[in-house]
Amino acid sequence: HRRLDPDWWVYSFTQLAHADGGGDRAAASTVAVAGGHDEPVPEEADEAVFDPRFAGTRFGVALHAALEETDFAAWRDWRPGDAAPDGEGVHIARALEANGYAADALEDGIAFTTALAGHTLTVPLPEGLRLCDLAPGERRPEIEFQFALAPTRVDALLRLLHAHGVVGSRHGFGLRQRLEGLMTGLIDLTYRHDGRWYVLDYKSNRLPRYDAPALAAAMAHSEYDLQALIYTLALHRWLRFRLGDGYDYERDFGGIRYLFCRGLDAARADSPGIHAQRFEPALVQALDALFAGEASAAPGAPA
């Protein structure tokens, strides 16, 4: 005679982002989706400057796999135009082969992916760090998470998000009136630098430009701001659980870094293609309370 609650579900950013007003696309499984699956297919390709073989979800997944498997430190002396460091090209080849790239595309694919990986791992980040200089003990790739969602009204959630400028054009998540269950996801890279924690996501999106306004537009258009907020909350909850009173979001959380790999230029200290952001403590705390079912978690104005 037990009542089964149809609102209980396993949610992810991808599922929420595809749940628009006309219907609700259910999660295909309770397993977090590997990085690269949210990369859009380019609308148009200029064959003179762009190779459509290395675009869209398939290439996005291959690039993520190559970056997950490679030895960051091996790239410290890499310069634009160089081949992959000794022993690292094999990871790139395996990632491409595992995602369906045949022998006739491997040479071009390895050269192109090497350039993207090299810039990604050697570009200076806003905090003055290069990923290739991170000690292995200071980073963790592909952290899968699940955190609990108490019954949460969608209208209350959207009021909070809109008050802080997140997914401002969204008015619902499919036909659901509330969210309840688990939130799941897979964070490309989590790292610590100078005592502060960061969330990093690799993006292979092809954009017209990679300056700050273009990146802000891409983040809003693909609702990556919501993805970044979910990832932030996941790491925030984990750090609070593991470190207890030794952790404080405002002091210890450095922010999120979205690296649009096609736009990176490791030769520049102010490289385009880097979206750096830190959500206000008021938003993170209010969202945490809302998802915990605390009645006092009323949406407030941005800090």
Side-chain angles (χ1 to χ4, degrees):
H1 300 287
R2 181 177 177 182
R3 177 181 176 273
L4 298 180
D5 191 339
D7 288 327
W8 202 101
W9 204 255
V10 179
Y11 299 92
S12 68
F13 160 73
T14 302
Q15 185 216 354
L16 290 177
H18 287 93
D20 52 29
D24 201 352
R25 184 165 144 187
S29 70
T30 60
V31 179
V33 177
H37 279 282
D38 57 351
E39 308 294 0
V41 176
E43 296 178 1
E44 296 180 0
D46 182 350
E47 299 293 344
V49 297
F50 173 70
D51 192 332
R53 294 176 297 173
F54 309 117
T57 295
R58 181 171 67 143
F59 180 72
V61 173
L63 176 62
H64 279 73
L67 289 168
E68 180 184 356
E69 294 298 328
T70 196
D71 176 5
F72 283 19
W75 295 79
R76 285 175 180 161
D77 297 324
W78 182 89
R79 296 293 181 270
D82 288 353
D86 290 345
E88 298 308 302
V90 65
H91 300 301
I92 295 173
R94 286 174 181 167
L96 291 167
E97 289 173 333
N99 285 278
Y101 285 93
D104 61 346
L106 273 184
E107 184 176 352
D108 290 341
I110 290 171
F112 182 63
T113 308
T114 294
L116 292 189
H119 283 284
T120 300
L121 297 174
T122 62
V123 70
L125 299 176
E127 61 272 24
L129 170 76
R130 300 187 309 163
L131 293 180
C132 62
D133 295 325
L134 262 177
E138 296 296 298
R139 56 182 169 86
R140 289 292 183 274
E142 299 289 327
I143 292 182
E144 182 179 351
F145 66 84
Q146 294 87 29
F147 63 74
L149 291 175
T152 301
R153 289 189 58 86
V154 168
D155 56 354
L157 173 60
L158 288 174
R159 282 198 302 272
L160 174 61
L161 296 177
H162 292 170
H164 291 265
V166 179
V167 291
S169 61
R170 179 170 286 280
H171 302 292
F173 294 105
L175 301 179
R176 293 183 183 270
Q177 299 301 306
R178 69 175 187 170
L179 308 179
E180 179 184 2
L182 293 175
M183 180 68 72
T184 187
L186 200 62
I187 301 174
D188 287 346
L189 186 70
T190 302
Y191 65 91
R192 182 174 60 182
H193 177 64
D194 283 347
R196 309 191 83 188
W197 299 82
Y198 296 85
V199 166
L200 186 143
D201 203 77
Y202 308 116
K203 295 298 183 189
S204 61
N205 306 50
R206 178 177 175 243
L207 305 178
R209 297 178 310 282
Y210 293 91
D211 55 15
L215 297 187
M219 292 289 293
H221 178 266
S222 297
E223 297 188 322
Y224 292 152
D225 51 352
L226 176 60
Q227 182 185 47
L229 181 57
I230 291 171
Y231 289 178
T232 292
L233 182 59
L235 183 57
H236 168 68
R237 283 187 167 190
W238 184 81
L239 291 172
R240 186 180 59 200
F241 171 73
R242 292 299 303 269
L243 302 179
D245 292 340
Y247 164 73
D248 176 77
Y249 175 86
E250 190 161 8
R251 179 192 66 213
D252 301 326
F253 204 102
I256 60 103
R257 305 287 185 259
Y258 272 49
L259 303 189
F260 289 79
C261 301
R262 294 178 191 268
L264 298 176
D265 184 351
R268 291 177 52 176
D270 60 342
S271 172
I274 301 175
H275 177 82
Q277 181 179 357
R278 191 177 81 106
F279 292 104
E280 291 293 334
L283 171 58
V284 176
Q285 293 161 6
L287 185 64
D288 185 28
L290 188 65
F291 282 166
E294 297 179 11
S296 60

